Amino acid sequence: FLPHKLPPQFAHLGPQIYLSNREYGILCEVTGRSFLAPEACNCNAPDTGNMEVLLKHGTPQQQAKYLVPLLRGEIRSAFLMTEPDVASSDATNMETKLTKVMVPSSRGSGGGKTKYKYILSGRKWWSTGAMHPKCRVALVLARMDYSQLPENMETASAHGAHTVVIVPMNKATPVRPLTVFGDDDAPTGHAEVLLDNIELHDVEEALILGEGRGFEIAQSRLGPGRIHHCMRAVGMAARCYELMLERSLVRETFGQYIWEHGGCQELIADSFSDLEAARLLTLNCAAAMDEHGVRKARGQIASIKVSVPQLTHRIVDRAIQIFGGAGVSDDFPMARILTGLRSLRIADGPDAVHRRTVARLEIRKTEKRLEARSKL
C-alpha cells in the first residue's frame, strides 16, 4: 500500500506501480474476504493510515525510523484517538494532554536556543493493534497544554490545539485487551492504553507537522481509511453472499431446496442489490477522491461510511438466516463478520456524525445554488 511516491532515499522500497484510491479499493475487496489477507499483504489498519501520515507529513528522520520498518512489515503500529472518559465522536472533547515544558539550561551554558520537552498524559482505548506483539510505535492525538510555560509565552490561539505525537510503545502501558460483543481478540486486537506522564525530549522527532496540526492530520488519514474499511466490508459481504447461495442449493426443507422458497429468493435478490450498491458507492467515492482530492469528496466519504456498513450488515444477516444455527456459530465466518460490520458503524465516527456532515454539505450546495439563481 502506497498512495504517494516515496522520497528518493527510500525509492528502492516502493512498488513498481502506484495505485489510485479506486484501484487499491478493488484490491481491498479481495483482501477483505479473508481475516488474514490484509496483514499478510501488509495492508491492514491502522498501519496503512499511519504509513500514509508518515509518508505525507513525516520528517526524513521519522520516515527512516518508523516508515521504513512499517513498509518492510518488520513492525506494527497503533493509532490512539478514542478515550473512555469522554464522548470521542466530538474530537474537541479529548482530554489526553501534551504538556510543553521549558528545560532549564545546564550550568555554565551561556545563551543559545531555549529547549523544551513534552509530557504526555492520558488514557486511550479502542487502540487497534496496540496489543500486537510486533507493535512498536503509536500515533497519539493529544491536546496541547501550555500551563507550564511562563504567562508571557502563552497565546490564546494555542490553547486547546490538538497535535499528533509519535510515542514508542515501550513507553506506553497496555491496561487490558478489549472485547467486541464478548469476543476477545487478544493479543492482536484493540486495547486500553495508559499514557502515564511519558517524557519526550526529542521535540523534532516527537511531533508530526508541529503543534496544533492534529485535526488536519487526522482528516487526511481518515478519508482514504474509510475507503479501505468500506471495500473490505464489501469483500466480507460478498463472501457471505456466496456462502448463502451455495447453502441454498444443497439444503432442503419441506421437500424443496431452500432457494426454491419464495422467501429465500427475496433474500437473495435483496442481497444482490445491496452488494452492488455498496461496491459502486465506494468505488465512486474513491474515483472522486482521485479526481478532486479528499476535501472535495467529503460528502461521498461521509455517505459511504454510513451506507456501506448498513448495506453489508444486511447481507450478512440474511446469510445467517439462511444458515440457521450454523450461521451464529464459529464454524462459518458470518458471526465474526457481523460483529465487525456492526462495530464499523461506530469506528471512525458514528453514523450520526457522518449524516450531519452530509446534510450540512448538501444544504450549503443548495444555498449557493439559490444565491446564484437569485442573481440571474
Side-chain angles (χ1 to χ4, degrees), residues 189-200:
H190 307 86
E192 182 176 345
V193 178
L194 176 65
L195 305 167
D196 188 13
N197 293 317
I198 298 172
E199 293 194 10
L200 302 167

